[in-house]
Amino acid sequence: MEHVFLEHRERLLRFLRARGAGDQAEDVLHDVWQRIVNAPGGPVEEPLSYLFRAAENAMRDRHRASLARTHRETNWAASGNAPEPPPGGERVLIARQRLAAVNASLDALSPSPRVATIFRRFRLEGAGQAEIARDLGVSLSTVEKDLQKAYRALAEIQERFDAE
């Protein structure tokens, strides 16, 4: 099947362009290629006919997805959920100051940067607690306790921010 696809690639592209795929013909053909490569192997009586049908189906699927996306976005915008404008300079400055305060608080939690490192790896990088413990050469209990320290510090900062 792959051999037939590669042999008739240009014909398939012309077919897709003639059917209205336009600039997306290459992308549609790539979708067809992915389906062929990932499909379970089995005998196909007419491989070229199969490829043309697969190309047409892929083009239709893409068109339907585009229509659904446009419809969804139109409904979303009409419901009053239009994106907010980017924050103004004052909000950006406040956010940067708060981020600096959070970083300073995390860094001050222990003489070594371990608590901040554990918190950042867990919350920002998505690493698991066991993985962090193994990488840093500490126990899982230590990781859990350091995360609790970080969460308490962040809760205190949040209370301070809320009071402002």
Side-chain angles (χ1 to χ4, degrees):
M1 183 64 74
E2 293 173 14
H3 174 72
V4 174
F5 177 89
L6 293 172
E7 183 178 326
H8 296 281
R9 184 179 185 286
E10 291 304 317
R11 273 183 72 188
L12 289 165
L13 274 174
R14 284 193 306 273
F15 171 79
L16 289 169
R17 286 186 182 120
R19 296 274 191 206
D23 294 339
Q24 292 187 356
E26 288 282 348
D27 294 335
V28 173
L29 202 56
H30 180 74
D31 291 347
V32 172
W33 174 256
Q34 290 298 317
R35 288 180 187 177
I36 290 169
V37 171
N38 295 323
V44 175
E45 193 171 315
E46 295 289 332
L48 189 57
S49 296
Y50 176 84
L51 288 173
F52 278 100
R53 177 59 57 115
E56 187 170 9
N57 289 342
M59 185 179 70
R60 286 183 182 158
D61 290 347
R62 214 170 240 271
H63 180 69
R64 283 188 199 118
S66 175
L67 288 175
R69 182 176 43 256
T70 302
H71 181 69
R72 191 173 50 250
E73 289 172 357
T74 301
N75 287 343
W76 184 75
S79 68
N81 292 325
E84 293 183 21
E90 183 179 352
R91 286 183 56 198
V92 170
L93 180 61
I94 290 170
R96 286 182 181 158
Q97 289 172 341
R98 288 183 173 185
L99 179 61
V102 167
N103 284 327
S105 178
L106 285 173
D107 291 337
L109 287 176
S110 64
S112 70
R114 188 183 73 207
V115 174
T117 300
I118 289 172
F119 176 78
R120 287 183 180 114
R121 291 219 32 222
F122 182 70
R123 294 300 294 184
L124 301 179
E125 297 173 15
Q129 292 180 11
E131 176 186 353
I132 295 169
R134 186 180 57 250
D135 291 349
L136 296 178
V138 297
S139 69
L140 183 58
S141 175
T142 300
V143 171
E144 291 169 349
K145 288 176 185 173
D146 284 351
L147 283 172
Q148 288 175 359
K149 287 179 193 176
Y151 289 136
R152 278 192 300 273
L154 292 175
E156 290 172 10
I157 291 173
Q158 183 62 46
E159 286 177 18
R160 194 174 68 217
F161 290 159
D162 289 344
E164 292 177 356

